[in-house]
Amino acid sequence: MKAVQIKNYSKNINTAVCEVEQPEISDSEVLIQVKAAAVNPVEILILTGRVKLIQDYAMPLTLGNECSGVVEKVGKKVTDFQPGDFVYTRLPLHKIGAFAEYVAVDQKEIAKMPEGYDFATAAAIPLTGLTAYQAIVEELEAKPGETVLIPGGSGSFGQMAVPIAKALGLRVIVTGNARAREQFLAMGVDRYLDYKQENYWEKLSGIDYVIDTLGAAEFAHELSVLKKGGRLVSLRTGPNKAFAERKHFSGLKKLLFTLAGSKFDKAARKQGKEYRFLFVRSDGAQLRKITEIVERQQVKPAIDSRIFSLSQVNDALRLVAKGSLNGKVIIQL
């Protein structure tokens, strides 16, 4: 089968389409014929080696973290899926490989696609959907009626995070660009701030939770709007001691992450607040809950108009690396 691989970590985007063996499945795995795969910033982080401390990979490595497709074959112990099912997944961190014609995945990591959705739209859901769900439910432990702020939330992450947060009973405030305002108000956000017109840190205070999508440069502003005892979870700023402990990393990694995150932990503690970091993992049970929300609210993440093939993955990766997209970038097989 064809698969898009890298031979080593590199600052340059230089993948190759290779002929590899079709994966064999274990008794608990499902073989999926991939129909669509989404291209995410995490692909850039992986191929450049920037997440090597969190997850190191043997080479050559097939790239791709999320996909949709059709079940081709199931293992002897698989009970919830059968050949012909339309499924989607955020692949396990240690076993990525969505940029390929086939992928083998444990049944615990997949879910049936939302009813009536096409493969491209479905492929754009798992990673951002699980990121939002794990941020809200596990890291923030948010309760109905509480308020979450998502600075820079008008992109693909916000398109999934807002409906999930609203379904969980939260008040949601988003900052973003002017062109996305009406779309997000229609989704039910309680307040939308145009970042070019208003500085949220001058308008807001006493916020229960912040989900950071912007990184370290925004940390002080985000921290300032939190109430005492509030919690900030970042998708970009960087790992810390709490993250290393939750992941049960070795002593050396724990020390490195403790040092790397210490200034953020100290700054948060000084104000009586808490900093957390999230690197999303696969979870089929959570994905099924997200599917229910997606179907009920008819959540349709935006898809970039430029659709790519396996042979055009380098172009797709460069597009994602450049940013300023109109939606998720999709590889169609």
Side-chain angles (χ1 to χ4, degrees):
M1 70 169 189
K2 290 182 170 58
V4 174
Q5 295 191 321
I6 56 171
K7 291 180 180 176
N8 48 262
Y9 298 122
S10 170
K11 289 180 181 175
N12 301 316
I13 294 172
N14 189 23
T15 69
V17 180
C18 305
E19 279 292 336
V20 301
E21 291 292 319
Q22 184 175 301
E24 295 291 329
I25 57 170
S26 70
D27 288 351
S28 64
E29 286 185 323
V30 168
L31 183 68
I32 300 170
Q33 182 188 17
V34 179
K35 294 292 187 181
V39 187
N40 295 281
V42 71
E43 262 75 63
I44 313 296
L45 297 177
I46 289 169
L47 73 85
T48 55
R50 286 168 62 191
V51 294
K52 203 160 48 166
L53 278 176
I54 295 174
Q55 180 65 54
D56 199 3
Y57 291 98
M59 297 291 166
L61 170 68
T62 301
L63 294 174
N65 280 268
E66 65 179 336
C67 64
S68 61
V70 181
V71 174
E72 179 96 355
K73 199 184 337 179
V74 299
K76 294 174 191 170
K77 294 180 181 173
V78 173
T79 53
D80 295 337
F81 303 95
Q82 58 188 14
D85 284 344
F86 288 9
V87 295
Y88 67 158
T89 180
R90 187 271 189 262
L91 293 167
L93 258 184
H94 66 279
K95 202 177 179 185
I96 64 169
F99 299 168
E101 292 178 311
Y102 292 90
V103 66
V105 198
D106 193 281
Q107 63 178 339
K108 298 196 302 293
E109 319 292 357
I110 64 176
K112 288 179 182 170
M113 276 169 41
E115 192 70 35
Y117 278 52
D118 60 58
F119 290 112
T121 306
I125 293 171
L127 192 141
T128 44
L130 285 166
T131 302
Y133 190 89
Q134 288 168 22
I136 294 164
V137 173
E138 297 179 352
E139 302 298 340
L140 299 179
E141 300 173 278
K143 304 289 188 296
E146 294 180 319
T147 300
V148 61
L149 166 68
I150 311 174
S154 59
S156 59
F157 174 73
Q159 288 172 7
M160 290 304 305
V162 168
I164 289 170
K166 295 304 293 181
L168 294 170
L170 301 178
R171 292 186 72 255
V172 186
I173 303 172
V174 168
T175 78
N177 57 54
R179 71 178 182 273
R181 175 188 289 276
E182 295 310 315
Q183 177 194 6
F184 276 81
L185 289 174
M187 281 185 208
V189 295
D190 297 273
R191 191 169 176 185
Y192 189 94
L193 301 174
D194 178 349
Y195 77 97
K196 287 190 176 175
Q197 303 293 327
E198 302 172 282
N199 292 327
Y200 67 86
W201 57 91
E202 294 171 350
K203 302 281 184 180
L204 304 173
S205 62
I207 301 293
D208 296 301
Y209 308 109
V210 172
I211 301 177
D212 163 58
T213 69
L214 300 171
E218 203 62 25
F219 182 79
H221 287 149
E222 292 170 343
L223 201 61
S224 72
V225 303
L226 275 177
K227 70 177 187 183
K228 206 158 196 173
R231 191 175 283 175
L232 184 159
V233 61
S234 178
L235 314 180
R236 290 193 58 185
T237 295
N240 61 349
K241 181 181 179 181
F243 174 79
E245 287 175 344
R246 286 196 307 280
K247 295 291 182 185
H248 307 292
F249 285 140
S250 67
L252 179 58
K253 276 191 184 180
K254 198 179 289 184
L255 176 62
L256 289 170
F257 288 144
T258 298
L259 292 170
S262 63
K263 67 177 177 181
F264 305 112
D265 286 335
K266 281 177 188 170
R269 273 199 306 272
K270 196 172 180 183
Q271 296 182 31
K273 301 164 188 179
E274 186 182 357
Y275 170 69
R276 292 203 173 189
F277 176 76
L278 171 66
F279 199 81
V280 64
R281 69 179 194 283
S282 59
D283 190 312
Q286 288 182 353
L287 189 53
R288 286 191 282 279
K289 290 177 183 175
I290 292 161
T291 307
E292 290 173 13
I293 294 169
V294 164
E295 287 179 337
R296 191 164 62 243
Q297 300 190 25
Q298 283 300 290
V299 181
K300 294 279 177 78
I303 304 296
D304 195 272
S305 59
R306 295 156 287 191
I307 301 290
F308 297 85
S309 67
L310 276 185
S311 63
Q312 297 169 313
V313 165
N314 284 334
D315 295 330
L317 287 164
R318 289 186 189 109
L319 186 62
V320 170
K322 200 176 0 174
S324 300
L325 300 167
N326 298 316
K328 276 277 188 97
V329 173
I330 300 294
I331 307 294
Q332 230 164 37
L333 287 89

